[in-house]
Amino acid sequence: MPHLYPYIINACGEGTQAKRRSYAALIDHMIPSMMQAGVYGELEKMDELMKQFYHVRAADPKKVPFVAAEIYELAESINMLSDISITPEEMLSSPEGCVKRLHSWMANIQSSAINDGFHILGQVPQGDKLRNMAQMLVRNRNGSVASIRDSACELLGYSYDTLLSALDTPTEDGRSYAMLLKQADSLADDILLELEKSGYADSAVDSIIEKFAGPNTKNARKLKECLHYACTFIMPRIEKITDEIEHLADGLNGRFIAPGPSGCPTRGNAQILPTGRNFYTIDPGAMPSRAAWEVGITLADQLIERYTKDSGEFPESVTVLVYATEAMRNYGDDIAETFYLLGVRTVWLGETDRIIGVQAIPLEELGRPRIDVTLRITGLFRDAFPNLIERVEDAVNLVASLDERAEDNFIRKHVEEDIAELVEKGMNIELAYERSLLRVFGDAPGAYGAGVNWIVQSQKWSDTTDLGNAYTTWGSHAYSKKYHGEKMPELFSIRMRKTSVAVKNESSREFDLLDGDDFYNYFGGMVAAITTHSGSQKPAYIPSTADVDHIETLTLHEEMSRVMRAKIDNPKWVEGLKKHGYRGASQISGMVDYAFGWDATTGVVDEWMYDSIAERYAFDEQTAFWMREVNPWALHNVAERLLEAHQRGMWNASDDKVGKLRDICLEMEAVMENI
């Protein structure tokens, strides 16, 4: 009997799980079409003020304080200062520096990629959605093929890397690098629109380049290569999206489903297309890959640099959340980062990709202390990568054995401290030494999840401590060559108590922290556990390797602010969901649950964010009417969850808003009773 499982191509870990558990044959499907967030409402006003600021800075410097004051007033009114932790005092003492920071932040928001509704199985997107999908697939470099952004920059005579590395840098003609990059993006849009008019004909590339470059085409080398790639490689594979339905029918008729790779296609991975295949993942013995090792070094360096900048010292202990699916997408970035933080490097077998061990990097070469690292792994990671668990154990044991000073080797420092603490509590010294080296924790054997989302949904919790303790109960099972899931809550609490910073790397913008409950369940829960056991909330970072050539590290609060402004409060995202009726409204309902979960565990949802959600989804007449018609349960849940946030003191809603939300709940209950 056929056993088929249609699944999105970028969720390789979850799909592989269905293969292992029940021998399912996968029919992978495409990600949704995506688009740039752009600007809207008050953000559009802010964008215009930024243009004025850079213009007067070059043409009439005396007006700079007046424009800066307008920017400050608008930023304060829309709560943007808190996004990137600019205080009113900083804005007054260094207005130009703060405006530049806000400008970079604005550029980050408006260039963010967001989903345009959902993908429909087997359906090739049309019109703007098709062009946007093609553009997102060439937004990052694909192997040696330059990205469309890089290509457009070259055509304009700009260096893409230079612009992206210093967005707030002013130019002599009264613009900024961010504005030049936006000009390049606009040019790329025009070029792809012209390519669309030609039916994505490869034969039209030269004439299109001539139209935009004129007689001087020396700066069009990258563009020519990129457009040829789009016409001859990208578009034929997008057109094969119809294979999703055709191969599903083949499977139902007992025919063979061809295999194919998996991953995030917009991460410079267009070669994994077309969809409609029975996807596979990677070779665990070749992780981390050589490319992942380089990414891991950058991640570690950026993390240390950002933490040192924010806190004024090196982090002694980092706790990293590691997903199996992420590891499969990025070939082991998290493990590579872990090794480099510890101060070890991977050893490959000759010129092959096979990993055979790790070796210590000399302190003189490392140039910093060795950082202690604890991993909280998922159940699927435990099942899929036992070899990596052992490899991390080898690295920890190696570093702990090095004869180095405590200030140069935080692993050794903490091992010695933990041994003393455990012995004082009655454990014999041999066992204390053995357990002081454990650094990998997860669910009990056969279990999956972190438990936090269930408690949040049940409403049976009082404060963050309840959630942190639940996370400890679920995730305090130790893994090593000797231990396979033995529960050690006391040891886990020590690791959480000593954590300086929590980290969850994200490899793609195809999803974000408000797309599902796993993110707050695992990472929000981790932050809650650290807070519970240490007595204070520690920094948490969300580094992104969506573009491996331009990695960025944001705080959890910055990332929440980015997602809220780029997507959740963006009319473009809402309109995309409205095309999908019941399912679109369900996504909105889930988003409110996830935002609430993040606030419950970490407190990163600000007052303005709740206000925006309420205004955009509960109180907007058109959106509320649509939800009432297609999915009253979703509208009821939005109102109910917002009321719970208010009741718990997480959101200080006005009496008027509370009354409106209660009315919505009562109205939707009446509607649902009559269905």
Side-chain angles (χ1 to χ4, degrees):
M1 184 175 189
H3 178 25
L4 306 174
Y5 190 22
Y7 213 78
I8 192 166
I9 193 171
N10 64 15
C12 25
E14 300 296 330
T16 303
Q17 198 169 27
K19 285 189 175 191
R20 185 181 63 252
R21 286 178 174 176
S22 55
Y23 300 101
L26 302 179
I27 309 290
D28 61 20
H29 66 76
M30 191 58 173
I31 62 170
S33 180
M34 304 182 76
M35 56 189 168
Q36 278 202 3
V39 291
Y40 58 89
E42 298 299 321
L43 295 185
E44 197 166 7
K45 294 180 184 178
M46 179 66 79
D47 193 46
E48 287 301 316
L49 283 174
M50 291 296 179
K51 292 176 184 176
Q52 289 182 35
F53 174 83
Y54 277 90
H55 174 71
V56 300
R57 188 183 181 280
D60 192 358
K62 292 181 180 179
K63 294 180 181 178
V64 166
F66 301 103
V67 180
E70 285 189 72
I71 291 172
Y72 167 68
E73 185 178 345
L74 179 57
E76 189 175 41
S77 70
I78 63 175
N79 302 286
M80 187 172 277
L81 298 178
S82 65
D83 287 6
I84 49 178
S85 302
I86 294 177
T87 65
E89 292 76 21
E90 286 177 308
M91 196 72 196
L92 292 173
S93 63
S94 179
E96 187 167 336
C98 290
V99 168
K100 287 182 177 180
R101 286 174 60 191
L102 286 168
H103 182 52
S104 294
W105 182 240
M106 276 288 299
N108 189 323
I109 292 168
Q110 61 185 298
S111 66
S112 293
I114 61 174
N115 289 350
D116 184 4
F118 301 115
H119 172 64
I120 299 175
L121 191 70
Q123 187 176 106
V124 178
Q126 301 298 318
D128 291 346
K129 282 195 171 188
L130 176 60
R131 186 175 66 258
N132 288 338
M133 178 174 282
Q135 183 164 3
M136 285 300 165
L137 290 172
V138 293
R139 179 182 168 96
N140 293 329
R141 173 176 58 85
N142 281 277
S144 62
V145 179
S147 70
I148 189 66
R149 304 184 88 195
D150 190 359
S151 302
C153 283
E154 183 189 56
L155 195 63
L156 292 168
Y158 308 145
S159 166
Y160 176 51
D161 291 338
T162 300
L163 297 186
L164 205 57
S165 66
L167 293 170
D168 60 7
T169 302
T171 63
E172 292 182 0
D173 62 351
R175 294 186 291 174
S176 69
Y177 283 3
M179 294 173 194
L180 299 184
L181 186 57
K182 189 174 181 180
Q183 179 191 2
D185 283 338
S186 179
L187 176 61
D189 290 342
D190 292 341
I191 291 171
L192 287 173
L193 182 59
E194 200 68 26
L195 194 63
E196 179 187 48
K197 292 176 183 177
S198 76
Y200 298 96
D202 188 45
S203 58
V205 168
D206 288 343
S207 62
I208 291 172
I209 288 176
E210 187 175 344
K211 175 178 179 178
F212 287 94
N216 183 12
T217 59
K218 67 177 183 179
N219 287 342
R221 180 189 59 82
K222 290 180 179 178
L223 180 61
K224 185 172 184 178
E225 187 178 28
C226 181
L227 295 184
H228 278 309
Y229 184 74
C231 292
T232 62
F233 189 91
I234 298 289
M235 293 310 301
R237 280 156 178 78
I238 292 178
E239 290 167 1
K240 279 183 168 289
I241 284 174
T242 54
D243 286 355
E244 295 169 5
I245 287 290
E246 293 174 12
H247 290 176
L248 179 62
D250 287 342
L252 291 171
N253 284 294
R255 299 192 184 99
F256 175 69
I257 307 299
S262 57
C264 296
T266 64
R267 197 178 184 249
N269 261 347
Q271 77 277 1
I272 68 176
L273 302 175
T275 49
R277 305 305 190 260
N278 184 5
F279 73 57
Y280 53 83
T281 58
I282 58 176
D283 175 7
M287 294 173 65
S289 68
R290 294 178 188 272
W293 172 248
E294 297 302 323
V295 172
I297 291 175
T298 304
L299 284 169
D301 285 342
Q302 277 199 15
L303 172 65
I304 293 171
E305 180 183 357
R306 180 65 197 266
Y307 181 87
T308 304
K309 177 184 176 183
D310 292 346
S311 305
E313 59 185 3
F314 282 109
E316 288 200 13
S317 182
V318 177
T319 298
V320 183
L321 174 60
V322 186
Y323 283 175
T325 293
E326 286 284 6
M328 294 176 189
R329 291 188 192 116
N330 58 42
Y331 295 82
D333 290 355
D334 296 323
I335 302 303
E337 179 185 17
T338 297
F339 288 159
Y340 193 65
L341 286 170
L342 290 168
V344 304
R345 61 166 59 91
T346 53
V347 179
W348 286 276
L349 178 62
E351 297 303 314
T352 73
D353 294 328
R354 183 67 49 181
I355 307 292
I356 57 174
V358 294
Q359 63 181 199
I361 301 171
L363 284 172
E364 313 83 67
E365 180 182 340
L366 196 61
R368 58 164 173 81
R370 303 185 193 277
I371 311 298
D372 195 351
V373 184
T374 296
L375 301 185
R376 200 306 189 179
I377 60 172
T378 62
L380 182 54
F381 188 95
R382 169 203 62 215
D383 300 341
F385 300 114
N387 63 310
L388 296 181
I389 294 173
E390 293 184 5
R391 195 74 73 199
V392 170
E393 180 184 9
D394 291 341
V396 170
N397 291 345
L398 171 61
V399 173
S401 69
L402 297 173
D403 185 14
E404 296 171 343
R405 299 178 305 169
E407 58 265 35
D408 293 328
N409 188 328
F410 295 136
I411 280 273
R412 184 181 178 93
K413 174 186 176 182
H414 295 158
V415 164
E416 291 175 353
E417 291 173 350
D418 295 350
I419 291 172
E421 181 176 342
L422 294 171
V423 168
E424 185 179 350
K425 292 179 178 179
M427 188 178 292
N428 71 67
I429 192 165
E430 291 81 9
L431 186 59
Y433 175 72
E434 184 180 277
R435 295 196 172 182
S436 69
L437 291 166
L438 294 173
R439 289 297 184 279
V440 181
F441 296 87
D443 301 301
Y448 303 86
V452 173
N453 57 333
W454 301 114
I455 296 178
V456 169
Q457 291 170 22
S458 74
Q459 302 182 356
K460 296 179 180 178
W461 59 281
S462 298
D463 53 30
T464 302
T465 302
D466 291 341
L467 305 178
N469 286 332
Y471 191 85
T472 301
T473 299
W474 278 67
S476 60
H477 302 267
Y479 286 89
S480 66
K481 294 172 185 175
K482 179 177 179 179
Y483 296 105
H484 187 71
E486 281 81 352
K487 191 170 185 178
M488 301 181 187
E490 186 176 35
L491 191 62
F492 185 75
S493 69
I494 292 174
R495 298 273 65 79
M496 296 299 99
R497 169 162 49 90
K498 292 192 173 182
T499 296
S500 306
V501 55
V503 176
K504 171 65 178 77
N505 297 313
E506 280 297 288
S507 62
S508 177
R509 293 299 191 201
E510 294 170 13
F511 40 81
D512 57 54
L513 45 73
L514 292 180
D515 276 333
D517 64 1
D518 256 9
F519 212 154
Y520 90 74
N521 183 31
Y522 280 103
F523 193 58
M526 175 190 288
V527 174
I530 293 168
T531 302
T532 297
H533 296 299
S534 69
S536 63
Q537 186 167 325
K538 298 297 189 290
Y541 296 113
I542 308 284
S544 172
T545 59
D547 179 355
V548 295
D549 295 328
H550 305 96
I551 296 169
E552 65 172 348
T553 298
L554 299 180
T555 67
L556 176 57
H557 181 261
E558 288 169 350
E559 177 65 2
M560 177 62 76
S561 300
R562 185 193 70 82
V563 173
M564 285 294 304
R565 295 195 190 275
K567 188 178 87 169
I568 305 306
D569 202 30
N570 193 333
K572 291 163 68 173
W573 185 69
V574 183
E575 292 306 312
L577 292 177
K578 286 182 179 179
K579 300 169 186 175
H580 299 276
Y582 181 93
R583 179 66 182 85
S586 178
Q587 185 75 9
I588 291 171
S589 173
M591 175 274 294
V592 179
D593 285 341
Y594 312 145
F596 179 88
W598 277 111
D599 202 26
T601 53
T602 67
V604 294
V605 180
D606 295 336
E607 288 281 326
W608 73 263
M609 299 180 187
Y610 280 117
D611 288 334
S612 293
I613 290 172
E615 294 294 337
R616 179 71 67 186
Y617 300 102
F619 303 151
D620 180 86
E621 289 186 12
Q622 292 184 345
T623 300
F625 178 79
W626 165 71
M627 292 180 73
R628 184 183 292 109
E629 293 296 306
V630 301
N631 190 339
W633 296 270
L635 183 55
H636 180 272
N637 185 68
V638 168
E640 184 178 50
R641 194 63 76 184
L642 288 171
L643 281 173
E644 183 182 357
H646 171 70
Q647 290 161 1
R648 288 182 177 275
M650 298 157 64
W651 174 38
N652 185 26
S654 66
D655 291 342
D656 179 57
K657 290 178 181 177
V658 171
K660 287 181 179 179
L661 291 171
R662 285 175 177 159
D663 289 344
I664 291 172
C665 282
L666 292 172
E667 181 189 353
M668 290 307 99
E669 285 170 7
V671 170
M672 291 184 289
E673 286 177 2
N674 292 323
I675 291 178

